[in-house]
Amino acid sequence: MDHEEVTEFLGQVPLLQCPPGSSIRRIAEAVQVKNYEPGDYVAREGEPVNGLYIIVDGQAEVSAPANAEEANRPDYVLNKYDYFGYGTNSSVHQVNVVALSKLTCFILPNQYGHLLQPKTIWNAEETPEHSLLEQILHLEPLEVDIFRGFTLPEAPTFRQVFGGQFIGQALAAASKTVDCLKMVHSLHAIFLVAGDNNIPIIYQVHRARDGSSFATRKVEAKQKGLVVFTLIASFQKEEVGFEHQAAIMPDVPPPEQLLNLEEIRERRLTDPRFPSQYRNLAAKKKFIPWPIEMRFCEGSASQHKPSLNYWFRARGKLSDDQALHRCVVAYASDLLFSGVSLNPHREKGLKTYCLSLDHSIWFHKPVKADEWMLYVIESPSAHGGRGFVTGRMFNRQGELIMSLTQEALIRREKPRGPNPRPKL
């Protein structure tokens, strides 16, 4: 196997779902290859544990020590992707491992064991502070292909789980089950039930397909045993191919010349043109900055147009993992997206209700989510209580990085009675 093939193989080993891509690449460089003939001892009881063994090809049998009682003999067979020698509390092998056929193993020496214990799923190093978004998108691995996510108390909250959180966390779960050479190139999500901010979210990944160039994953997000969100994502290994770009980035002011949300809020609190009652209420209202910094290209005069342009980037420095950066922009893509379909219908005193129904993203080029990107949103249609929006994301060089679509339920908000009805 060459280095790329080793990296792809390691991506299928259940133990290696947790480490970030950078650690997997280092493990691929560090592993040693060892071959055994049928009947050879791979490990002997009482001998020192010299590293993590991963079965690459063939079968091996684990047998109990000779003095073990017959009823307690844990004899079983190890197959491809199985491993041993990691997680033991002993410095010596407690069992014998014998090759049943021609056997090939990868051995990761003990001095590289720290690579198996990353600080987060995105970063192997101890860093002073992670971006809030990186913390939001950190998942707790529970079992093979099962992860747990949370709504953090310091993150902005809505009446229900933010749709971008579902998208970003589900994509993170899917990404951790694919080898680090394959990156998501498209995803399609459906929102089924409003999520509860106060309880964890369980993400179950289903491996639909693993090919040499592409892999497909389906993710179900569950709360209280119910599926509340689904996502299908396709991943592709990087390759050289035809290229063109017809889309042109709009001519808008650079982000350095525009105000962010905090600066806009501060101006409104001190602007005498706003009623003092409004300013007092706004000042008392708890304000939690979004983990995404946003700078709007147009003023309030254009708020009735079915379009919106704004620059955005993640706050703080993100770990250098392309999978993380794609999860971050997936999270950010739901901010203000469907609301653009309501712009032509806004009027004083009108209260509306908006709920995302489905969301699709196509990734065209590599992403740097902690650098400025321009989000160009348009709403070509609204009908039947549904608003439709399309989006394009450009980097500062004018390259089209992503294309997006979303449909959302948009309704006039009805007065709540004593017995609230379901949301859909």
Side-chain angles (χ1 to χ4, degrees):
M1 289 186 181
D2 60 24
H3 181 266
E4 184 175 289
E5 291 173 326
V6 173
T7 304
E8 288 180 311
F9 177 89
L10 294 175
Q12 301 301 313
V13 178
L15 175 66
L16 301 180
Q17 283 190 350
C18 298
S22 59
S23 294
I24 300 300
R25 291 182 177 89
R26 291 174 64 186
I27 291 172
E29 294 173 352
V31 292
Q32 304 167 358
V33 181
K34 194 164 184 181
N35 297 304
Y36 301 88
E37 294 296 322
D40 286 352
Y41 276 83
V42 184
R44 288 180 182 269
E45 177 196 356
E47 288 186 347
V49 176
N50 58 358
L52 168 70
Y53 287 70
I54 301 173
I55 307 296
V56 178
D57 192 33
Q59 290 185 323
E61 181 182 48
V62 177
S63 59
N67 60 357
E69 295 182 11
E70 188 68 28
N72 296 323
R73 296 179 63 86
D75 293 5
Y76 53 90
V77 173
L78 296 173
N79 296 293
K80 186 176 182 179
Y81 303 125
D82 289 335
Y83 57 89
F84 64 92
Y86 172 75
T88 176
N89 294 322
S90 174
S91 60
V92 297
H93 290 289
Q94 302 297 303
V95 294
N96 296 314
V97 181
V98 181
L100 291 177
S101 63
K102 284 184 175 293
L103 184 71
T104 301
C105 291
F106 284 151
I107 304 174
L108 181 67
N110 285 332
Q111 62 263 37
Y112 298 100
H114 65 281
L115 296 175
L116 303 173
Q117 299 174 321
K119 303 306 176 184
T120 74
I121 63 173
W122 304 118
N123 196 310
E125 308 298 332
E126 186 71 64
T127 54
E129 183 177 352
H130 294 293
S131 160
L132 175 57
L133 258 177
E134 191 164 335
Q135 297 175 47
I136 292 171
L137 295 172
H138 173 70
L139 302 177
E140 178 187 352
L142 299 179
E143 299 179 32
V144 176
D145 299 342
I146 301 177
F147 304 83
R148 180 162 53 199
F150 301 88
T151 302
L152 300 183
E154 58 267 38
T157 56
F158 304 85
R159 286 183 295 183
Q160 59 269 336
V161 174
F162 170 50
Q165 177 180 324
F166 273 135
I167 299 169
Q169 290 183 339
L171 179 57
S175 298
K176 299 310 294 183
T177 69
V178 177
D179 72 75
C180 61
L181 298 180
K182 295 184 178 75
M183 291 293 148
V184 62
H185 71 89
S186 69
L187 67 82
H188 309 277
I190 296 180
F191 302 89
L192 302 175
V193 181
D196 188 337
N197 285 313
N198 300 310
I199 60 176
I201 307 165
I202 302 299
Y203 293 95
Q204 170 77 62
V205 181
H206 303 274
R207 299 173 182 243
R209 179 179 184 270
D210 281 294
S212 58
S213 297
F214 289 85
T216 307
R217 297 291 185 265
K218 178 183 177 182
V219 185
E220 294 181 333
K222 298 180 180 180
Q223 287 188 316
K224 300 178 181 177
L226 298 176
V227 177
V228 297
F229 170 88
T230 65
L231 176 142
I232 295 179
S234 181
F235 298 78
Q236 182 189 16
K237 187 194 299 184
E238 183 179 2
E239 64 179 75
V240 178
F242 301 109
E243 286 196 32
H244 78 272
Q245 178 178 318
I248 299 175
M249 184 171 76
D251 185 15
V252 297
E256 293 80 9
Q257 296 180 10
L258 303 169
L259 301 177
N260 61 30
L261 289 178
E262 290 77 16
E263 292 166 333
I264 292 173
R265 178 177 181 272
E266 188 62 31
R267 284 197 174 188
R268 287 181 175 178
L269 291 178
T270 58
D271 191 337
R273 291 176 296 178
F274 287 94
S276 59
Q277 184 180 11
Y278 165 83
R279 285 183 281 146
N280 291 336
L281 288 174
K284 292 177 182 178
K285 187 176 181 180
K286 185 179 180 181
F287 177 72
I288 301 178
W290 285 352
I292 298 289
E293 183 178 1
M294 305 166 65
R295 303 196 177 193
F296 296 98
C297 300
E298 297 92 6
S300 58
S302 60
Q303 65 182 0
H304 292 288
K305 294 181 179 179
S307 61
L308 177 66
N309 298 326
Y310 67 84
W311 293 97
F312 77 95
R313 65 181 176 184
R315 294 185 186 274
K317 185 67 177 175
L318 297 171
S319 297
D320 186 19
D321 190 318
Q322 181 60 202
L324 168 64
H325 284 254
R326 297 192 185 207
C327 291
V328 167
V329 291
Y331 174 100
S333 69
D334 195 40
L335 285 169
L336 306 181
F337 196 21
S338 61
V340 174
S341 64
L342 278 168
N343 282 0
H345 314 285
R346 298 188 189 280
E347 58 187 53
K348 187 175 181 180
L350 176 65
K351 292 185 178 181
T352 58
Y353 181 76
C354 185
L355 185 70
S356 300
L357 297 174
D358 51 34
H359 190 106
S360 295
I361 305 176
W362 293 264
F363 297 83
H364 307 307
K365 294 186 176 181
V367 176
K368 280 289 288 180
D370 48 8
E371 296 180 0
W372 288 113
M373 297 178 65
L374 180 66
Y375 199 175
V376 178
I377 305 172
E378 296 177 337
S379 176
S381 173
H383 179 76
R386 302 184 315 278
F388 178 70
V389 287
T390 65
R392 292 173 293 163
M393 290 185 182
F394 297 87
N395 62 18
R396 296 199 70 166
Q397 291 70 48
E399 295 177 309
L400 180 65
I401 303 301
M402 295 160 56
S403 299
L404 312 94
T405 62
Q406 187 180 86
E407 191 171 48
L409 180 71
I410 54 172
R411 290 173 175 168
R412 293 177 182 270
E413 192 171 272
K414 297 179 181 180
R416 292 174 178 264
N419 298 310
R421 299 177 63 186
K423 293 181 180 295
L424 293 177

